[in-house]
Amino acid sequence: MKTVNIKSSYAVSNDVISKEIDGEIVIVPLESGIGNLNEGMFSLNKTGKIIWEMLDGKKSWL
Amino acid sequence: MTTYIKYYKTAGITFSVKSDIPITEDTFHPKFKLFEVDAPGDDNVTINHHFYVPKKLLNCLNPNKSKKVFTNEFLSVHKTNNMWIYNQKASTRFNIKYNAIVIFNDEHTKGDVYTNDLNETSYSEEHIGSLVLFGGDHYLLANILSYRQGFLLHANGLAFNDRGILLIGKSGAGKTTLSNMLRQSGFSLVADDRVVLQKIESKYYLIGSWCHGSNVAVTNKKVLLEKIFFLKKSQKNKIITETSTHERLKQFSSSIVRPFGDQEKWKNILNNMEKIVKHHFFYSIYFNLSKNICTVLKENL
C-alpha cells in the first residue's frame, strides 16, 4: 500500500479525468483496462470532494 | 484487383467492410442481415480485411514503437501517436477464434484487420460474429460511440408502446429473467445484454446493434429512453424511485462498456453521464419470479 507523506504536496494526475456531477466528483483513470466502467471509475462524497479540490500541487497538510 | 464491400448500419453509423476476397452471404453471422444496407451513409467507418500479417506490423508492438495500454489473456492494446493497435490471440477458453492484429486511427473510423487464420474458402462460410474478427464488436462500438454522444451499455433494452426502458444489473442480477418475463407480458426486446444509448437531437434513444451477450438476440429497433431500472432480486415486487446521485452514478456507470480513450473522449462520456443522471427517472426494481412485477412496471410507465 502506498503511504502519504503529509509534508509533501500532491496534484491531480494528467492520467485521470474528473467531473463534478450533482455535487459528486467522478474520477476516471484514462488507462485502466476494458470491460465495464465501474471497474475503473471512482466517485467521491462531500469529504472526498473537499480533499480532491485541495490537490493543487502547492498545499501540504502541515 | 476487385474489392468486395458490404455495408452494415447501426446508431446512424455505416460500417463498410472491404475485402480482396469475396464476402458471401455466409461470411458474417446471419444476425448482420438486420443491419445490412446498400450504400455508405453520412457517417462512415471503414474496415479493411487482409489475409496476411505483414512483418513490419509486428514491429509496431515493440515497446519502443508503441505504448501498451492494456493486456489480458487474449488481447493486448497498444497506442502510438495516431493509431490504436489491437493484438488478439485465439483462445478456445474465451471463444476467440482468430489470431488477428487490428489497427485503427485515433477516432476508430478507419481500421485494417490482418489475419493468417482465414482464407478464401473459410472466409466464404465462416459466419463471423464480429466485423473486426474479435469475440464481438463491443470495444469498437464503445469507442466509436464515445465520439457520437453515445455509449454501449452492458444492459438490456426493452420497449412497451414505443417507450424504452433500460434494465441495469450485474451478471446474475436477473436481466435475462426479467426481460423474458416482460416480453411474455407485452414488452418487446430492443437489445439483449449490450445496448446502444445515444443522444439524438437532445433526447436519448435505446438502439439495437449486432452486439449481444451469450445469447444471439439482436434487433435494429430505436426507441426513446423513458426510464432506467436497477435490478434487485427480492421476495417482493416493488419499484422505488432512486434519488441518490451517488447510487445513480455508481449503478449507471457500472453498465458502461469502457472505451480506450483520451481526455476529449472522456469529457464527452462524462457530459452525457451528467445529463442522463440529472434528467432521467431512475428506479430500483425488486422482483421475484411470479411475473407480478410486469403489472407493477406497466403501471409505473
Side-chain angles (χ1 to χ4, degrees):
Chain A
M1 181 185 287
K2 286 186 178 176
T3 55
V4 174
N5 185 343
I6 59 171
K7 293 181 181 174
S8 299
S9 58
Y10 291 87
V12 173
S13 165
N14 289 329
D15 293 331
V16 303
I17 185 164
S18 65
K19 181 176 177 64
E20 183 173 343
I21 298 178
D22 222 7
E24 297 234 354
I25 298 282
V26 176
I27 304 166
V28 181
L30 293 179
E31 293 174 2
S32 67
I34 54 180
N36 289 6
L37 183 56
N38 66 326
E39 290 147 15
M41 196 202 85
F42 307 91
S43 64
L44 303 180
N45 60 14
K46 285 179 183 173
T47 309
K49 183 185 165 206
I50 291 168
I51 295 170
W52 184 258
E53 288 171 346
M54 291 172 76
L55 300 178
D56 59 2
K58 297 171 187 167
K59 296 185 188 77
S60 72
W61 304 104
L62 286 180
Chain B
M1 182 182 281
T2 305
T3 301
Y4 300 88
I5 310 177
K6 288 260 190 185
Y7 303 102
Y8 302 98
K9 189 173 185 179
T10 187
I13 311 156
T14 306
F15 294 76
S16 309
V17 183
K18 299 183 179 180
S19 164
D20 293 338
I21 59 179
I23 305 173
T24 72
E25 292 298 301
D26 293 313
T27 294
F28 293 109
H29 190 281
K31 68 182 179 181
F32 284 100
K33 284 282 170 206
L34 273 177
F35 306 93
E36 193 167 345
V37 292
D38 294 332
D42 296 332
D43 185 7
N44 297 286
V45 171
T46 303
I47 300 166
N48 300 301
H49 286 181
H50 308 279
F51 304 93
Y52 62 97
V53 179
K55 280 187 179 172
K56 66 176 184 182
L57 203 55
L58 299 172
N59 291 337
C60 293
L61 303 173
N62 188 306
N64 297 328
K65 304 276 185 184
S66 63
K67 180 181 178 185
K68 189 188 282 188
V69 297
F70 174 78
T71 185
N72 68 10
E73 292 88 340
F74 56 87
L75 180 69
S76 64
V77 182
H78 307 250
K79 177 84 172 78
T80 69
N81 282 341
N82 53 11
M83 288 191 309
W84 291 91
I85 307 163
Y86 298 77
N87 183 23
Q88 176 178 261
K89 300 289 180 198
S91 162
T92 46
R93 184 181 166 203
F94 294 100
N95 199 26
I96 307 293
K97 293 180 77 174
Y98 316 106
N99 293 291
I101 296 180
V102 182
I103 296 190
F104 268 101
N105 62 347
D106 236 353
E107 295 83 15
H108 285 69
T109 52
K110 185 177 182 305
D112 287 280
V113 180
Y114 298 89
T115 185
N116 288 319
D117 290 355
L118 288 165
N119 56 36
E120 184 160 354
T121 304
S122 56
Y123 191 65
S124 69
E125 58 190 21
E126 191 74 359
H127 286 176
I128 301 165
S130 152
L131 300 183
V132 288
L133 311 186
F134 287 177
D137 287 327
H138 311 102
Y139 308 137
L140 175 63
L141 265 185
N143 277 284
I144 290 171
L145 288 165
S146 65
Y147 287 109
R148 290 165 176 78
Q149 305 290 326
F151 309 89
L152 184 66
L153 302 178
H154 185 178
N156 285 18
L158 290 105
F160 186 73
N161 294 337
D162 288 330
R163 307 178 76 179
I165 63 166
L166 195 55
L167 304 182
I168 293 175
K170 291 180 179 175
S171 294
K175 292 193 294 292
T176 302
T177 304
L178 182 56
S179 293
N180 288 340
M181 290 196 296
L182 290 170
R183 289 169 73 181
Q184 289 166 17
S185 179
F187 285 74
S188 61
L189 183 73
V190 177
D192 183 55
D193 217 32
R194 300 290 188 284
V195 57
V196 173
L197 176 59
Q198 190 177 32
K199 185 180 172 192
I200 302 169
E201 294 174 354
S202 81
K203 292 182 177 173
Y204 286 88
Y205 289 83
L206 298 176
I207 302 171
S209 78
W210 51 83
C211 291
H212 50 79
S214 51
N215 297 321
V216 184
V218 300
T219 81
N220 57 0
K221 290 178 186 163
K222 179 174 109 178
V223 295
L224 188 66
L225 173 64
E226 294 273 345
K227 294 183 176 179
I228 298 170
F229 295 91
F230 303 133
L231 271 57
K232 320 270 184 187
K233 279 184 182 170
S234 170
Q235 295 300 314
K236 295 181 178 176
N237 293 297
K238 60 181 177 181
I239 292 173
I240 296 173
T241 304
E242 184 57 73
T243 55
S244 158
T245 298
H246 183 78
E247 275 305 305
R248 289 177 173 211
L249 280 170
K250 183 178 154 191
Q251 305 248 17
F252 179 75
S253 67
S254 73
S255 70
I256 298 174
V257 178
R258 184 189 170 95
F260 299 106
D262 51 22
Q263 296 262 354
E264 183 198 350
K265 192 183 286 184
W266 279 105
K267 278 180 190 168
N268 289 340
I269 290 170
L270 293 176
N271 285 341
N272 278 303
M273 223 163 88
E274 179 180 33
K275 286 176 186 136
I276 288 164
V277 166
K278 277 188 172 177
H279 303 302
H280 280 81
F281 297 105
F282 287 76
Y283 303 88
S284 288
I285 182 165
Y286 296 79
F287 66 100
N288 59 28
L289 300 179
S290 69
K291 298 184 185 174
N292 292 337
I293 193 64
C294 302
T295 309
V296 178
L297 187 49
K298 282 180 186 174
E299 287 168 357
N300 277 269
L301 275 180

